[in-house]
């Protein structure tokens, strides 16, 4: 895997300085162009960078391998997140704010990046996804700076359908438990969207990002 993520942008380098940066992380089996379609409904005047996951999966890419029951290894998550976090830190030097938006498996990546470099990330938007659960005795626990977030909670929007057929309930419950101690979370449920995103949800995300910018 290359240390530098493959990224596409919505604008040219000369237009990016001092703008808010919104980094997009797609879901399992998708690709970097997928979430770019959401930009017109999101924060105006921002720079958008959509990152391609590093491994091939189905017709697209995955951030880390998932088993049939959606389980995964923490080591694989860290291996995937580390170069992305380094890239986000470098890009942040050129921007007024840094927001991360992840869908499904991309939410796991967005929140993991924020947990590794919490001083760099102003807020995370998680859509139909989950936060990676980490036990204190895990060999990679130090990668996730959750102690810092206890004192400086992550600003977070979490949108999902309570009947989402893809994300296991155990992951949803673990995410909710993690948010109690580590995030100031705006949690909104959208019935009838399944494992997807609705126009209403995107409107709420836009309002949330505008609020955080102010």
């Amino acid at each position: 895997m290359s240390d530098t993520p493959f990224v596409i942008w919505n604008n040219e380098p000369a237009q990016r300085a001092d703008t808010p940066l919104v980094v997009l992380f797609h879901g399992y089996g998708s690709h970097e162009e997928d979430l770019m379609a959401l930009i017109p409904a999101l924060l105006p005047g921002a720079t958008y960078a959509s990152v391609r996951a590093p491994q091939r999966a189905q017709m697209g890419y995955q951030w880390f391998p998932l088993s049939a029951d959606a389980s995964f290894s923490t080591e694989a998550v860290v291996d995937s997140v580390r170069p992305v976090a380094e890239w986000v830190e470098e890009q942040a030097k050129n921007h007024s704010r840094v927001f991360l938006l992840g869908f499904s498996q991309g939410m796991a990546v967005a929140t993991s990046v924020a947990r590794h470099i919490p001083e760099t990330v102003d807020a995370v938007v998680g859509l139909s996804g989950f936060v990676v659960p980490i036990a204190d005795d895990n060999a990679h626990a130090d990668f996730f700076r959750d102690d810092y977030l206890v004192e400086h909670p992550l600003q977070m929007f979490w949108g999902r359908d309570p009947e989402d057929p893809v994300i296991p309930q155990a992951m949803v419950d673990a995410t909710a438990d993690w948010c109690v101690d580590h995030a100031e979370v705006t949690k909104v449920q959208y019935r009838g969207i399944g494992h997807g995103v609705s126009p209403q949800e995107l409107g709420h995300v836009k309002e949330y990002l505008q609020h955080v910018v102010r």
Side-chain angles (χ1 to χ4, degrees):
M1 179 181 66
S2 170
D3 288 339
T4 303
F6 181 83
V7 180
I8 59 174
W9 300 80
N10 73 315
N11 59 14
E12 297 299 323
Q15 300 173 301
R16 298 171 192 166
D18 297 325
T19 60
L21 173 64
V22 183
V23 185
L24 308 175
F25 300 98
H26 64 77
Y28 179 91
S30 188
H31 52 81
E32 69 280 4
E33 295 182 5
D34 186 23
L35 296 182
M36 294 293 277
L38 304 183
I39 291 176
L42 298 177
L43 183 67
T47 291
Y48 291 84
S50 189
V51 186
R52 176 193 291 173
Q55 304 162 9
R56 280 283 185 181
Q58 299 179 2
M59 299 297 291
Y61 300 86
Q62 64 180 6
W63 295 99
F64 46 87
L66 296 173
S67 66
D69 64 355
S71 61
F72 50 86
S73 78
T74 307
E75 181 178 7
V77 174
V78 170
D79 287 346
S80 177
V81 167
R82 190 184 302 278
V84 177
E86 292 173 355
W87 177 84
V88 169
E89 275 194 306
E90 185 62 27
Q91 299 305 314
K93 299 174 184 177
N94 194 41
H95 293 275
S96 61
R97 299 282 193 279
V98 175
F99 306 123
L100 311 180
L101 185 155
F103 174 78
S104 193
Q105 192 184 47
M107 176 178 167
V109 174
T111 51
S112 294
V113 170
R115 292 163 73 184
H116 183 57
I117 51 170
E119 301 96 335
T120 302
V121 177
D122 292 282
V124 168
V125 173
L127 307 178
S128 301
F130 60 95
V131 172
V132 174
I134 300 294
D136 291 340
D137 60 353
N138 187 286
H140 300 280
D142 289 346
F143 182 83
F144 299 86
R145 296 176 54 206
D146 286 355
D147 288 348
Y148 179 93
L149 292 175
V150 171
E151 300 297 328
H152 307 87
L154 176 65
Q155 300 298 309
M156 180 173 164
F157 180 97
W158 182 20
R160 60 179 297 271
D161 186 337
E163 297 180 358
D164 185 329
V166 173
I167 306 301
Q169 188 61 43
M171 289 187 181
V172 174
D173 293 342
T175 298
D177 289 344
W178 182 88
C179 287
V180 169
D181 294 324
H182 305 97
E184 291 184 4
V185 61
T186 298
K187 182 180 179 182
V188 188
Q189 295 186 341
Y190 303 89
R191 293 191 178 274
I193 68 171
H195 193 64
V197 179
S198 71
Q200 181 188 33
E201 183 176 25
L202 293 178
H204 291 159
V205 170
K206 178 180 179 180
E207 291 173 358
Y208 179 79
L209 292 177
Q210 288 175 324
H211 173 74
V212 176
V213 166
R214 289 195 296 266

